[in-house]
Amino acid sequence: MVILREGICPGINEEFIKALQSEDIKTGVDNDHQIATFEDFVSCNPEELAQKCSLSYKALVAVRRVLLAQYTAFPVSGADLYEELLSATAILSTGNPSLDKLLDSGLYTGEITELTGSPGSGKTQVCFSVAVNISHQLKQTVFYIDTKSGMCANRLLQMLQTKTPNMEEQMEALQKIKVFRVFDVFSLLACLQHLRSNDLQKASIGGGSVKALMVDSVSAVLSSMLGGKQNEGMSLLMQVAGELKMIAKDFNIAVLVTNHVTRDGNGHLKAGLGQSWSHVPRTRVLLQRVEDAETSSLRTATLTKSSRQACHLVEEFDLCHWSEEKRTSISGKRKLEERSKP
Amino acid sequence: MEFRNYCAKINDMTARVRMAENGAQLVSRLEGRQSLRDIEPSIFPVDGGPGQGDVVEFHGSEGTGKTETLYHLITRCIMPVQSRGLEVAVVFVDTDYHFDMLRLVSVLEGRLAEDCKGGDGSENEPEERVRSCLGRLSVVHCNSSVQLLLTLHYLENTFSSQPSLGLLIIDSISSFYWVDRFNGGESTVCQEANLRKCAELLDRLRRNYGIVIFATTHAIMRNYGSDPGVSEVPGPSSSRRWRSADSVTDFDKPYLCRAWQRIVTHRMLFTKSHVSKDNKQVFSTACTSIMTKGVKRCSFHVMEDGIKFVCDK
């Protein structure tokens, strides 16, 4: 809503507003509505308005034009947009070959990717490892919004230790992961808005080193708002979605969110948060445990939504891939060295 | 009703007294726009393609191929005539922040390459041809219903000054539904105010400039308590205008404001159907229009280079 008030644009002064509001103009079904917002004003015919309010037609048209220029989104030519995309889009590797294969080589900037899965399916672990990979391998800052206090710095360090034995490098990488803790949807919205208007703005001026934003989990704060008389919860849900989309698009950032799963009528797993949310992520991956596998760290990832790859691609991966596996090889090497010493 | 007449009168008046009009505007008003009637005969009813001033609603739940179909239609519009395109400029209003330029380009490249194989030996570089096609497309992102309304007002100038512009796409018109519902408080009039104004403006745009409008709506409302197949509930509901498309889904309930329902001339329902023998997902559409009888059905696969229609058995 854009309220018409003194000083929002050069031509608007007190008399102008008074003149507009002196006359009740039919702006809609509710006939006695006054022109208070620019939406009302812009929908009125300037000629009609000029006669009724005894304002100059020229002034009205000028104000309309200036305000339109101020508040509308501008069309961009497709050719320019393509050019910009080619130069600005980055694909961030997740550090896991099978996930990368599923996502067509990684997380794309400017898009929202969603991880869904039941508890214990490894959503948070995947987030951690992606964060570590982006901060260490790609040397980019990651914003990590933690809504269920699942962030565990030890685990991040553990993952980093498998990548590099160098303490300094480890610390450097950890410093690149900025964690925000929020516990309800209002603080989540405030956090996102703050990021959009402050931190990211600054970062984008200073060269744009923030490349990824993660929200783990988006359903933890949103699912409790849904149900009942719906309107408020759905509105908040869509506002969060809107903020995430804007962050992704305007700052060219890869957004990764996690979501829970529910079962549909046929007993198939589907992403939580309902129909309206289902339109939000561009790519969705479903994580599941591998049943009757002797090791509990084996998971399958299924692509359930994508505009690049055929859906229902399945890849299997091991959560240990990011830590223990390599550590055993390192300790194995150490053993060899110890043996060769004497 | 009175109000509508009143509006119509004002519109007529302004149309008559529109004083300042430059040559381009005159041409675009008098000459009319390029017809989109045969934009894609496979999905629109026979002789029922979208003519000047028609409004097509693409309705379906997530992942049923709405946006993919839009890419297909955009490609057809922005390709040059010698490649069997329509050479029509398109404005794409992206309210879902969803538009995937890379995907559109891969569809476009596929189509252009296919055309080259035909053997007319085009002298231009493929990259160059893609760019010249993309020049006919403009994209604008909107993040609230107010911004959508203001942007449409702003675009009016573009429509009046560019005769080549024939298609306006809004993907999607329903994306601010919940936020507006809540911001409007208790009164339905306030809840729908912005979308109603948008619909009224779109109505004026399509009548004055003869542009075609495609808009997608998310299927988010379940048809509780109505038999599948008899989805028409008697009453003042505008859904009576639509012959049932056999209710392939229980999510086909129109829920946007009546000002919008009133201007829609074609409605296309999207559903995901079976998976075919060769393990490909089949998508289907059912198009009904107020001009023609019956339902035009069509199924397609989504492939690497766009959608491929499946011949009906």
Side-chain angles (χ1 to χ4, degrees):
Chain A
M1 204 189 300
V2 183
I3 310 266
L4 284 180
R5 55 169 202 280
E6 240 185 294
I8 59 166
C9 114
I12 297 190
N13 51 25
E14 207 174 330
E15 288 109 79
F16 187 92
I17 306 264
K18 272 218 186 96
L20 270 187
Q21 298 185 338
S22 62
E23 191 76 38
D24 288 341
I25 289 144
K26 293 182 183 174
T27 55
V29 186
D30 42 346
N31 281 337
D32 53 342
H33 193 75
Q34 282 190 332
I35 299 188
T37 63
F38 182 45
E39 297 96 276
D40 298 333
F41 177 69
V42 81
S43 306
C44 287
N45 184 308
E47 242 166 290
E48 185 101 342
L49 213 55
Q51 281 168 9
K52 277 194 171 169
C53 307
S54 49
L55 283 164
S56 113
Y57 175 74
K58 257 189 177 166
L60 282 173
V61 172
V63 163
R64 189 176 189 269
R65 195 175 300 148
V66 171
L67 283 180
L68 269 185
Q70 210 166 331
Y71 289 101
T72 53
F74 285 99
V76 184
S77 149
D80 295 344
L81 195 69
Y82 180 50
E83 206 70 47
E84 195 188 311
L85 262 185
L86 284 187
S87 63
T89 302
I91 305 173
L92 310 176
S93 161
T94 59
N96 181 317
S98 29
L99 268 185
D100 279 352
K101 197 169 151 202
L102 207 65
L103 295 169
D104 197 9
S105 64
L107 302 174
Y108 281 60
T109 57
E111 291 187 6
I112 300 179
T113 309
E114 184 179 73
L115 291 172
T116 63
S118 42
S121 56
K123 303 186 291 290
T124 305
Q125 292 301 316
V126 172
C127 282
F128 283 174
S129 67
V130 174
V132 162
N133 196 59
I134 293 172
S135 68
H136 177 252
Q137 223 74 38
L138 309 174
K139 307 266 184 269
Q140 303 288 348
T141 309
V142 178
F143 284 160
Y144 193 106
I145 300 180
D146 180 19
T147 65
K148 43 175 198 155
S149 51
M151 168 50 80
C152 175
N154 279 340
R155 178 70 181 135
L156 289 182
L157 185 63
Q158 205 179 11
M159 287 177 168
L160 275 168
Q161 279 163 349
T162 66
K163 288 181 183 287
T164 167
N166 185 337
M167 277 279 268
E168 251 169 58
E169 272 182 40
Q170 290 168 8
M171 289 306 126
E172 207 176 296
L174 283 181
Q175 263 166 2
K176 285 206 158 66
I177 304 177
K178 305 244 185 297
V179 182
F180 301 84
R181 289 221 157 136
V182 297
F183 296 108
D184 59 63
V185 65
F186 302 102
S187 35
L188 174 62
L189 266 178
C191 177
L192 290 174
Q193 276 158 2
H194 181 80
L195 284 182
R196 189 159 63 85
S197 53
N198 293 310
D199 298 45
L200 289 171
Q201 206 90 51
K202 268 182 230 151
S204 73
I205 293 166
S209 67
V210 184
K211 279 278 170 275
L213 171 78
M214 301 185 186
V215 185
D216 179 35
S217 93
V218 80
S219 59
V221 286
L222 281 171
S223 56
S224 60
M225 303 300 297
L226 303 179
K229 225 186 134 250
Q230 282 206 335
N231 274 4
E232 188 183 1
M234 293 306 283
S235 166
L236 286 166
L237 179 82
M238 294 324 283
Q239 284 180 50
V240 169
E243 286 295 332
L244 289 174
K245 285 181 201 167
M246 269 191 272
I247 287 178
K249 251 283 149 16
D250 295 349
F251 300 101
N252 207 16
I253 278 178
V255 175
L256 182 69
V257 299
T258 63
N259 191 358
H260 66 281
V261 285
T262 53
R263 281 184 195 278
D264 63 6
N266 307 326
H268 297 301
L269 288 176
K270 61 166 188 178
L273 296 177
Q275 285 287 327
S276 298
W277 177 269
S278 69
H279 293 275
V280 175
R282 179 87 67 84
T283 309
R284 181 179 297 123
V285 174
L286 174 70
L287 299 178
Q288 279 169 298
R289 272 171 189 278
V290 176
E291 287 182 28
D292 58 68
E294 65 271 40
T295 44
S296 64
S297 62
L298 273 186
R299 300 287 189 272
T300 59
T302 317
L303 192 67
T304 56
K305 176 175 183 170
S306 169
S307 58
R308 279 182 295 271
Q309 301 241 63
C311 284
H312 306 297
L313 281 182
V314 185
E315 284 286 332
E316 202 165 288
F317 67 98
D318 194 338
L319 284 180
C320 291
H321 169 84
W322 288 298
S323 49
E324 278 107 63
E325 189 188 64
K326 282 195 182 160
R327 204 151 36 137
T328 49
S329 70
I330 290 169
S331 59
K333 209 188 280 172
R334 197 175 297 146
K335 258 182 220 153
L336 271 180
E337 282 166 2
E338 276 165 8
R339 224 178 285 157
S340 58
K341 247 182 209 164
Chain B
M1 229 43 248
E2 238 174 47
F3 173 70
R4 266 179 73 76
N5 293 339
Y6 173 69
C7 277
K9 219 188 289 166
I10 294 178
N11 280 338
D12 279 350
M13 266 164 54
T14 48
R16 248 176 281 137
V17 293
R18 187 183 286 125
M19 308 287 268
E21 190 174 48
N22 60 32
Q25 282 169 327
L26 183 72
V27 167
S28 76
R29 191 163 58 84
L30 294 183
E31 196 162 65
R33 312 265 164 172
Q34 159 96 43
S35 165
L36 300 183
R37 275 210 186 277
D38 46 358
I39 182 169
E40 185 46 83
S42 317
I43 55 175
F44 287 105
V46 186
D47 302 327
Q52 288 191 6
D54 279 352
V55 179
V56 187
E57 180 182 290
F58 292 67
H59 186 84
S61 36
E62 173 239 347
T64 48
K66 298 186 294 296
T67 309
E68 198 57 44
T69 310
L70 286 181
Y71 294 149
H72 176 80
L73 298 175
I74 293 172
T75 314
R76 171 99 165 107
C77 282
I78 60 177
M79 285 205 339
V81 175
Q82 66 262 31
S83 314
R84 280 171 286 124
L86 296 171
E87 216 169 311
V88 168
V90 179
V91 173
F92 191 101
V93 181
D94 185 13
T95 60
D96 278 343
Y97 279 59
H98 215 124
F99 180 69
D100 189 349
M101 180 56 95
L102 299 176
R103 176 72 190 146
L104 178 70
V105 168
S106 63
V107 173
L108 188 62
E109 272 169 349
R111 206 71 64 76
L112 286 172
E114 200 174 281
D115 186 61
C116 266
K117 256 187 275 162
D120 64 335
S122 184
E123 62 293 339
N124 286 342
E125 292 285 302
E127 189 77 344
E128 205 45 45
R129 300 176 70 199
V130 166
R131 259 165 242 261
S132 84
C133 288
L134 289 180
R136 289 191 198 95
L137 173 73
S138 14
V139 181
V140 52
H141 298 284
C142 291
N143 57 25
S144 71
S145 54
V146 173
Q147 199 180 34
L148 175 64
L149 176 66
L150 299 183
T151 305
L152 289 175
H153 272 288
Y154 175 81
L155 286 175
E156 183 171 2
N157 269 331
T158 322
F159 289 126
S160 66
S161 57
Q162 275 190 45
S164 64
L165 226 167
L167 177 62
L168 170 68
I169 298 177
I170 303 175
D171 188 22
S172 73
I173 190 115
S174 66
S175 40
F176 309 120
Y177 177 76
W178 286 114
V179 178
D180 283 348
R181 275 284 295 271
F182 181 63
N183 289 347
E186 292 294 305
S187 118
T188 329
V189 176
C190 291
Q191 289 178 2
E192 291 180 344
N194 286 333
L195 189 60
R196 194 189 60 238
K197 282 186 198 136
C198 286
E200 283 164 3
L201 176 61
L202 288 174
D203 192 28
R204 191 154 58 83
L205 291 178
R206 75 182 181 95
R207 272 192 285 124
N208 289 356
Y209 305 106
I211 47 165
V212 177
I213 299 169
F214 290 171
T216 62
T217 50
H218 298 321
I220 51 174
M221 289 291 173
R222 203 182 276 274
N223 264 339
Y224 285 115
S226 63
D227 276 333
V230 212
S231 66
E232 265 70 327
V233 192
S237 148
S238 56
S239 65
R240 264 192 312 169
R241 286 166 75 208
W242 304 106
R243 276 167 297 275
S244 163
D246 294 275
S247 254
V248 266
T249 155
D250 58 346
F251 276 109
D252 64 348
K253 181 180 164 187
Y255 56 93
L256 291 178
C257 71
R258 292 189 53 198
W260 167 255
Q261 306 294 350
R262 222 178 276 134
I263 63 170
V264 174
T265 58
H266 293 69
R267 197 153 193 267
M268 202 172 295
L269 285 180
F270 283 78
T271 38
K272 229 187 220 179
S273 40
H274 60 282
V275 177
S276 70
K277 277 164 239 127
D278 44 349
N279 226 350
K280 277 190 225 137
Q281 176 72 51
V282 178
F283 298 89
S284 35
T285 62
C287 181
T288 48
S289 100
I290 52 169
M291 274 84 85
T292 55
K293 283 206 179 102
V295 184
K296 167 75 182 179
R297 281 168 205 292
C298 161
S299 2
F300 58 88
H301 294 303
V302 176
M303 310 292 280
E304 188 85 356
D305 55 348
I307 63 183
K308 289 272 171 301
F309 293 100
V310 183
C311 297
D312 277 331
K313 314 110 219 173

